[in-house]
Amino acid sequence: MRAREGQTADETAVPAEELCIRRGLRDVRVDRVTSISREDLASSYLEGDGRPVILTGVMQQWPAMTKWNFDFFREKYGEDVVLVADKLAGATEIKETHLSTYLDYIEDKRHTWLKHCELDTPWYLGFYKPLAMHPELMEDFTEPECLDNWCRYLEGEMADWYRMGFGWIFIGPGGTYTRPHPDLFATHAWLAQLVGRKTYFLSEPLDDPQRISTLTEKDFFQVDLEPGEFLLLPANWIHGAVSHAPSITLSFNFVNQRNFSRFMKTICRDADRWRSMTRFVGEKVDPAKMTAELSAFAPGRK
Ligand SMILES: O=C(O)CCC(=O)C(=O)O
Ligand SMILES: [Fe+2]
């Protein structure tokens, strides 16, 4: 087996299913399909709790596949003010910096300003949502039709609000860590891997969200996402991630016929929380306030 970038010699010697067992994870495979119709996606992967699937043939024509790299972001958007976290989903520390400073840090983790991180995981650019501010980025990719994303019918200000609130570009060095969590408001999510390899840890939706703190390794299975691969996560699936190399992931949360009812239910029930979440409005955020809000928002997440 050939070693892939960021993979240790130890990992290359062991088949994936054996690695799962060695780590105490479940041996569950995630389907990989080149492309799929809207009807087949809905019936095979979004019925009930659904199950994750990787689409391998939807990103090849995206300009982002060749254009988006660290130099591109430094040159065009280096001045952007961004927030970086010690880990995602339950961050304990968030710092504000310029995108260019953070990209320097990815290149050379000894960068003085960002040197300190309490954990042994590196700083992660996990709250970067530039797609409304820099709408030209939207021309660099096309969301597959089969998702049937109802949010694409939003117009004008609402389309901007959607891009700003639900479109993410995750950038980081190897070793970034996202704690297992379900995404907000029962949205489905897609994660398109553009640069670097990531491992996602996955577990079925929980009847009682508080149970997340009791999950252990044996509740999860893993899947590796390579550049050019597109992971679809149905609503409420628990997911965490580790990057193995400097990485760029484009991600959107969305709603379609399969989760619309659950989405409406959570936003009715959690309307105050919805309004107060700084990540859903355009105002300038205070990192300390955001750290507090995020931890209040995720009781039970460690
Ligand atoms: O780190 C990742 O790739 C996943 C991030 C994620 O799931 C999230 O921020 O909701
Ligand atoms: Fe997520």
Side-chain angles (χ1 to χ4, degrees), residues 122-180:
W123 294 104
Y124 193 11
L125 182 65
F127 306 104
Y128 188 41
K129 295 182 292 181
L131 297 161
M133 196 173 35
H134 306 305
E136 68 281 3
L137 288 168
M138 296 293 298
E139 288 159 28
D140 291 342
F141 62 93
T142 314
E143 194 180 64
E145 289 279 322
C146 60
L147 304 182
D148 190 26
N149 181 356
W150 286 8
C151 304
R152 75 175 185 278
Y153 299 115
L154 296 170
E155 290 173 353
E157 273 182 8
M158 283 306 290
D160 283 348
W161 172 86
Y162 173 64
R163 284 171 200 172
M164 188 148 62
F166 294 89
W168 314 80
I169 301 179
F170 300 116
I171 299 181
T176 57
Y177 179 52
T178 300
R179 287 200 77 87

Side-chain angles (χ1 to χ4, degrees), residues 88 124 126 168 170 178 181 183 191 198 200 239 241 249 279:
L88 282 193
Y124 193 11
W168 314 80
F170 300 116
T178 300
H181 64 281
D183 277 352
L191 296 132
K198 269 184 174 166
Y200 284 86
H239 54 287
T249 311
R279 64 196 261 172

